[in-house]
Amino acid sequence: MAATRIIAFFNLKPGVAVADYEAWARTVDMPTVKGLGSIGDFQVLRSTAVLGSDAPPPYAYFEIIDVEDMALFGEEVASPLMQKVAAEFGGMVDVTFVMTEPL
């Protein structure tokens, strides 16, 4: 069975400093999520441009989360540690999570 890929599209909330979010992402979010048994891969990406346009990107950041086992993922995200990480993330960003699957 193919992994479920979750893509998060987000911008920082007003008043959240880029340096603060990015330091937290590198030291807390990325190592924590990559350490989950259900995760095949996890990337956090910063937008740089809209191809072929001078318009600013609609989202500043993206996360790509490859979940190998959705049942285990559900258990892991319910843990106190992940609830803390999710709350910290939610306090810094306005996010939409989209679940995907390969064609």
Side-chain angles (χ1 to χ4, degrees):
M1 179 168 65
T4 298
R5 177 167 282 168
I6 301 170
I7 303 174
F9 303 81
F10 60 98
N11 290 308
L12 300 181
K13 288 184 176 181
V16 176
V18 168
D20 292 342
Y21 163 72
E22 291 185 2
W24 176 86
R26 286 186 188 99
T27 61
V28 176
D29 193 30
M30 294 168 66
T32 303
V33 175
K34 286 180 178 183
L36 299 177
S38 60
I39 299 301
D41 193 23
F42 178 64
Q43 298 177 40
V44 180
L45 307 165
R46 180 187 318 116
S47 298
T48 58
V50 174
L51 186 63
S53 173
D54 291 331
Y59 297 98
Y61 297 93
F62 301 88
E63 288 183 348
I64 300 173
I65 310 160
D66 290 333
V67 182
E68 298 293 332
D69 183 331
M70 284 301 292
L72 179 57
F73 181 67
E75 293 172 19
E76 290 176 326
V77 297
S79 73
L81 174 60
M82 279 305 298
Q83 288 295 301
K84 179 180 182 288
V85 170
E88 291 171 356
F89 181 67
M92 289 186 276
V93 305
D94 291 315
V95 62
T96 299
F97 290 96
V98 177
M99 292 180 60
T100 71
E101 63 184 20
L103 292 180

